[in-house]
Amino acid sequence: MSVHFKIRAPLLAHIREDLERRHPFAYERVGFMYAALSRIGQGALTLLVQSYTPVEDDDYVKDRSVGAMMGSEAIRKALQHSYNSRTAVLHVHMHAHEGRPSFSGVDLSENARFVPNFFNVSAHTPHGAIVLSQDNANGQLWLSRNVAPVPVTRFSAIGAPLWCEGERS
Amino acid sequence: MTRFARQGFLGEESEARFAVLRVGIVGLGGGGSHVVQQLSHIGIPNLVCVDPDIVEESNLNRLIGATIADAEVGTEKTAVAARLARALMRSSGFVTITAKWQDATEALADCDIIVGGLDSYRERSELEAFSRRLLIPYIDMGMDVYEVGDHFSLGGQVILSSPGQPCLWCMGILTQERLEREAENYGAAGGRPQVVWPNGVLASLAVGLLVQLVSPWTNTAIDSAYLEYDGNRHQVGTSNRLKAVADCQCSHYLADQTGDPLFDIRRQVFGTGDATEPDTVERPLGWWKRLWLWLGFSYAPEPDARH
């Protein structure tokens, strides 16, 4: 199973810029990308990112034990957008370094806790989480609520230069 | 000196970038055959070459790699491309598909860039739309010979149509009038004039745009281009049509018009053995099924039945 994540480079640059903004009290910012899907052959999916919305300042919850904690309203808005646009929801945050980022232990446990719930509203599409670095990305995608996520195997930013990373199908 | 030592100016990472790139070449005629040859020289091993046709004698004035023997036995153009590429590269990622590109969409969908050397405006329109829907940069080559009074005008254009940037419609290559005129002339006898050197110029421009997109050797990022070739003056320049729309948002292919609009993960079964366990979705039974149950017969819903 391979998953190819594609995004227009200007949108990716905008997301990075947005996630680098300081929040009044959270250590980091988070947001949501919305992606259309396309299937290629027997074992490949392509995520085609269409848009991004940051989590609004007021939708963060004060919790000094984690980098950022979203309130339920942030998730409700993301799911509303997903439902209306028939798109996959991809939670996104950023690690401030170069090279391939990894999800932290907290990231992994939190992703596993809230991403499967996205299927309550948008069951027709996969959902996932993406972590960006300053020049790379990593991700995991749930194909259904009850099955462990699969890794995003390839990333492409469509622009000049064209950036491709990872294994193809 | 290594094979690629003379193209080291493309950057230390260029070989690695080319190695993982997959390029679709649609149409292996005068333009496409040049592109296959050049990409093979450069070291791009993963090529998806698509063309439904065989070599005919009338192709020999321009089809790179084709021989008299190919024309005599009717060798497939994809086989000529394969012979050309494999003589220059040992690659397991070289794919040929002898079919219309509309029957090769699965392979093309997995390409990072598509280069089109198609004759008809309708097909160019469809290939660009396909590429946009999958966020694939599309490089379009077109050559024209027009009779102007007592002489001919030779020219063409190469366009880089990147997602989010001006498209063939924005730049005036595609117009409703052209498509209608082409449809009216559909089936008219005789092929359009084509010769080898303008094909070569246009293919070289296309390859240059492709390499610059993947491994730029200048500080200038080019994600949109409309290069006009004046074959009578032997000049190439950026079209004023691009300059006119360069800062405009493409209104023909919107950001939210990508992917499969009817995609439903619950209907997907993947062939890798790690298929999803789809969420079940309850739906009310139709009146005839309820009647069937009321009469005492059993009923098992289809596994993929969903709203």
Side-chain angles (χ1 to χ4, degrees):
Chain A
M1 176 81 212
S2 66
V3 179
H4 189 173
F5 172 98
K6 297 178 90 172
I7 186 170
R8 286 179 290 117
L11 178 58
L12 180 59
H14 166 72
I15 293 170
R16 284 199 170 104
E17 197 175 293
D18 184 74
L19 294 174
E20 280 180 340
R21 287 185 299 129
R22 282 192 65 180
H23 187 269
F25 57 83
Y27 293 121
E28 60 183 349
R29 284 189 178 272
V30 294
F32 292 102
M33 294 187 274
Y34 305 93
L37 268 295
S38 181
R39 178 176 176 166
I40 299 172
Q42 287 302 302
L45 277 180
T46 304
L47 289 162
L48 302 142
V49 179
Q50 294 184 342
S51 61
Y52 163 77
T53 55
V55 169
E56 293 174 23
D57 283 2
D58 294 343
D59 291 337
Y60 286 79
V61 175
K62 272 191 179 171
D63 185 339
R64 308 302 285 179
S65 66
V66 293
M69 177 66 83
M70 293 178 294
S72 58
E73 185 63 7
I75 295 174
R76 190 199 64 75
K77 288 173 184 170
L79 291 180
Q80 183 71 52
H81 190 291
S82 166
Y83 182 79
N84 290 344
S85 58
R86 287 188 61 84
T87 49
V89 182
L90 303 169
H91 177 264
V92 58
H93 76 292
M94 186 164 154
H95 291 173
H97 61 77
E98 293 183 350
R100 188 89 194 271
S102 298
F103 288 107
S104 68
V106 173
D107 292 340
L108 291 170
S109 60
E110 285 300 302
N111 291 346
R113 193 177 62 80
F114 72 82
V115 173
N117 290 335
F118 295 174
F119 288 90
N120 294 342
V121 175
S122 288
H124 63 277
T125 179
H127 302 288
I130 301 291
V131 56
L132 300 174
S133 70
Q134 286 161 352
D135 61 356
N136 212 314
N138 205 337
Q140 48 183 183
L141 189 72
W142 276 257
L143 303 181
S144 77
R145 184 207 320 264
N146 304 319
V147 176
V150 294
V152 177
T153 49
R154 185 169 167 83
F155 289 85
S156 295
I158 314 303
L162 181 68
W163 177 73
C164 304
E165 176 82 18
E167 298 168 13
R168 58 168 60 261
S169 59
Chain B
M1 197 178 274
T2 62
R3 171 173 175 170
F4 301 114
R6 302 285 287 268
Q7 61 187 49
F9 70 95
L10 295 177
E12 286 178 9
E13 295 179 356
S14 61
E15 274 186 57
R17 287 179 182 172
F18 294 155
V20 298
L21 194 71
R22 182 172 289 169
V23 178
I25 304 164
V26 177
L28 300 172
S33 60
H34 272 284
V35 172
V36 171
Q37 186 185 45
Q38 292 193 25
L39 295 184
S40 302
H41 275 295
I42 288 166
I44 297 180
N46 303 308
L47 304 179
V48 176
C49 297
V50 184
D51 197 301
D53 293 334
I54 58 170
V55 178
E56 297 174 0
E57 191 179 352
S58 62
N59 301 138
L60 294 181
N61 75 324
R62 65 190 187 284
L63 205 159
I64 303 304
T67 64
I68 293 169
D70 289 326
E72 285 172 349
V73 300
T75 306
E76 292 169 346
K77 288 182 179 176
T78 50
V80 173
R83 191 172 63 209
L84 200 61
R86 288 184 176 134
L88 290 163
M89 287 184 305
R90 290 189 180 89
S91 166
S92 58
F94 187 88
V95 175
T96 58
I97 301 174
T98 305
K100 290 183 175 180
W101 73 265
Q102 292 89 342
D103 296 323
T105 51
E106 192 174 299
L108 290 170
D110 200 27
C111 290
D112 299 301
I113 301 173
I114 292 176
V115 182
L118 293 167
D119 286 334
S120 95
Y121 287 114
R122 181 182 60 80
E123 285 207 283
R124 291 160 77 179
S125 164
E126 290 172 359
L127 185 55
E128 183 185 48
F130 170 81
S131 303
R132 290 274 176 151
R133 189 161 277 284
L134 293 165
L135 294 182
I136 301 172
Y138 170 59
I139 299 175
D140 179 88
M141 303 180 290
M143 183 195 146
D144 299 305
V145 179
Y146 294 111
E147 196 167 354
V148 184
D150 60 351
H151 68 283
F152 290 92
S153 173
L154 174 64
Q157 70 286 317
V158 176
I159 290 175
L160 168 57
S161 165
S162 290
Q165 300 298 322
C167 68
L168 296 181
W169 291 91
C170 296
M171 297 189 222
I173 289 294
L174 293 172
T175 63
Q176 202 55 43
E177 185 189 356
R178 271 187 172 158
L179 290 176
E180 285 169 8
R181 202 183 318 139
E182 182 178 82
E184 285 168 10
N185 294 333
Y186 182 76
R192 294 164 68 179
Q194 295 278 330
V195 280
V196 69
W197 75 91
N199 284 156
V201 171
L202 296 167
S204 296
L205 293 170
V207 170
L209 288 171
L210 186 153
V211 173
Q212 196 165 11
L213 194 62
V214 177
S215 193
W217 63 90
T218 70
N219 292 328
T220 311
I222 296 181
D223 57 3
S224 182
Y226 182 163
L227 303 176
E228 269 179 336
Y229 169 57
D230 182 337
N232 288 15
R233 292 189 174 83
H234 307 284
Q235 292 176 343
V236 176
T238 293
S239 171
N240 287 332
R241 291 185 183 190
L242 176 61
K243 294 172 188 167
V245 297
D247 298 325
C248 301
Q249 190 77 26
C250 174
S251 59
H252 305 93
Y253 300 105
L254 303 178
D256 62 358
Q257 293 173 351
T258 56
D260 175 359
L262 300 178
F263 183 88
D264 191 329
I265 191 68
R266 296 167 299 186
R267 295 182 186 278
Q268 309 294 324
V269 177
F270 294 97
T272 54
D274 55 358
T276 64
E277 182 186 311
D279 283 6
T280 53
V281 177
E282 296 296 330
R283 68 173 178 178
L285 297 176
W287 66 268
W288 68 270
K289 286 172 186 164
R290 278 185 271 121
L291 177 64
W292 190 253
L293 291 170
W294 182 76
L295 290 171
F297 296 102
S298 64
Y299 162 72
E302 295 172 18
D304 63 344
R306 300 287 182 268
H307 285 292

